Amino acid sequence: MDSTASFSTSLFSSPLVIQDQRLNQDNSSIDSSFLQNQTNVPKEFLWPKVDLVNAHQELLEPLVDLEVFFRGDELAIQQAARVIRVACLSHGCFQVINHGVDSRLITAAYDHLNRFFQLPVSQKLRARKTTTDGLNNLSYSGAHANRFTSNLPWKETLTFGFEENLKESSVVDSFKSSLGDDFEEMGKTYQKYCEGMKNLALVVMEILAISLGVDRLHYKKFFQDGRSIMRCNYYPPCPEPGLTFGTGPHCDSTSLTILHQDEVGGLEIFANNKWQIVRPRHDALVINIGETFTALSNGKYKSCLHRAVVNSERARRSLAFFLCPREDKVVRPPEDLVHGEVTRAYPDFTWSDFHLFTQKYYRADAHTLHNFTKWLLSSKPIYHN
């Protein structure tokens, strides 16, 4: 099939307005000590009232027990795939238990998260991007104030890349080179955490393939040599939590997000036309479908529209692992999803182009993939094998 000729023209119903929000070029940073000393929310952190709709209902979804996968129970795996399919067709979010990631490793990851964000801002600033993509380096951000000047999130983040095919100590080296030898153990913990998340992500990819009725190894093979992203989030208490967000409403541009949130909670997703609360479970991991997988499913599975709220009493923490394909991989759905008269929902693209779009030209929101498609077709060549 000609991948350039049959994707839906309904994507182009309105003109594309590129959001160039790289307005704050002085690399200023806002850390938790600044945020915690505020008695009111600064204007840069105020969000539009239309976005500040409270969630009052808890998302009630069946938990997916992955023990059936690890013991090879095919009937139970098919049932789990059906549960996941329903969630992904609706809103793109589900939770898994018995996922194979050691709870002690998760606890250790939080311990090191606490240690990092308690550092003086001068030390945290040593973990700043020094390359164009930043994926092999530590990247500290205080409220993304180095990228944006309005609708800032009430949080700090530490982001770094993970590539399984690199030497075993790649994450360790990033921590040591940026922060010093005293942070070697922190690097080792996050190296192990990323390895566990990558293994789990490939399991989920296999079940997603089953749920879509395609070769069960198709997506697993596609992501096997990928270069993923890990992010530690710290949300300080906020004096007026009803006026801002820890993370504003958006869909992840990556393929799959595996999130662990601490007992404080704060994750909310948009399902059934309203915001709903995802209650934290210490034994569960939240799985969100990202925009890249929406394209890989030919638009069948929804990317999860989500946000994070803050509170006035307690700091909130979370650990997010973003599964990504290799940068030069062409993102296109398997033939089983586009045969016959089926219309292509999106043109071919590479993850490197999509990542570039979100880092340099567009702030992620609920319409990122839609607008990326327009940008791609207006400025980029079509990819062929």
Side-chain angles (χ1 to χ4, degrees), residues 33-299:
S33 61
F34 170 85
L35 295 176
Q36 290 175 5
N37 286 329
Q38 303 303 304
T39 55
N40 299 103
V41 174
K43 62 181 178 62
E44 294 85 358
F45 291 84
L46 296 175
W47 281 72
K49 289 184 178 180
V50 67
D51 291 327
L52 296 168
V53 179
N54 291 332
H56 301 287
Q57 181 177 328
E58 182 179 327
L59 180 69
L60 299 177
E61 293 285 349
L63 291 171
V64 177
D65 189 343
L66 293 183
E67 184 182 359
V68 300
F69 180 90
F70 295 119
R71 71 167 185 255
D73 186 336
E74 286 300 323
L75 287 178
I77 291 171
Q78 293 293 333
Q79 175 58 30
R82 286 190 287 270
V83 170
I84 288 173
R85 179 180 176 84
V86 171
C88 292
L89 290 171
S90 173
H91 48 69
C93 176
F94 55 96
Q95 295 195 68
V96 296
I97 57 173
N98 293 321
H99 41 66
V101 181
D102 194 327
S103 62
R104 293 170 296 183
L105 181 57
I106 296 174
T107 299
Y110 276 120
D111 289 342
H112 287 295
L113 180 155
N114 292 338
R115 180 190 175 194
F116 176 82
F117 288 112
Q118 288 169 4
L119 293 172
V121 66
S122 59
Q123 284 188 264
K124 286 185 281 193
L125 287 173
R126 288 158 57 188
R128 296 300 295 265
K129 285 185 180 178
T130 57
T131 62
T132 55
D133 61 15
L135 291 184
N136 272 344
N137 298 80
L138 300 188
S139 175
Y140 166 74
S141 174
H144 297 327
N146 58 318
R147 295 185 62 200
F148 311 118
T149 59
S150 63
N151 295 345
L152 295 183
W154 196 270
K155 69 175 178 178
E156 296 178 88
T157 62
L158 178 66
T159 307
F160 51 93
F162 170 72
E163 190 169 357
E164 207 166 23
N165 295 329
L166 293 180
K167 62 179 183 176
E168 290 185 6
S169 60
S170 60
V171 175
V172 179
D173 290 344
S174 292
F175 274 83
K176 289 174 63 179
S177 62
S178 295
L179 299 172
D181 291 344
D182 289 345
F183 292 84
E184 180 176 5
E185 191 60 35
M186 185 180 291
K188 288 180 178 178
T189 296
Y190 286 124
Q191 177 80 31
K192 292 177 183 176
Y193 189 88
C194 289
E195 290 168 355
M197 289 296 118
K198 178 65 178 292
N199 290 336
L200 173 59
L202 295 181
V203 167
V204 173
M205 280 296 160
E206 191 168 336
I207 301 176
L208 285 171
I210 295 170
S211 73
L212 284 164
V214 304
D215 176 1
R216 67 186 291 162
L217 297 181
H218 177 85
Y219 295 122
K220 181 177 181 179
K221 291 177 180 177
F222 185 82
F223 288 99
Q224 190 78 54
D225 58 354
R227 190 181 183 201
S228 297
I229 302 169
M230 177 71 201
R231 178 167 295 156
C232 303
N233 298 302
Y234 181 80
Y235 305 85
C238 177
E240 299 172 295
L243 299 180
T244 189
F245 288 114
T247 302
H250 71 287
C251 299
D252 294 332
S253 60
T254 50
S255 300
L256 194 76
T257 305
I258 305 178
L259 179 81
H260 191 281
Q261 56 174 341
D262 71 4
E263 71 281 359
V264 176
L267 175 65
E268 298 176 353
I269 72 161
F270 196 74
N272 301 319
N273 294 313
K274 56 180 175 289
W275 288 103
Q276 300 191 44
I277 300 163
V278 179
R279 181 172 60 88
R281 290 180 54 116
H282 75 277
D283 61 338
L285 291 166
V286 180
I287 311 293
N288 288 346
I289 298 296
E291 300 271 45
T292 299
F293 193 82
T294 294
L296 285 168
S297 70
N298 200 38

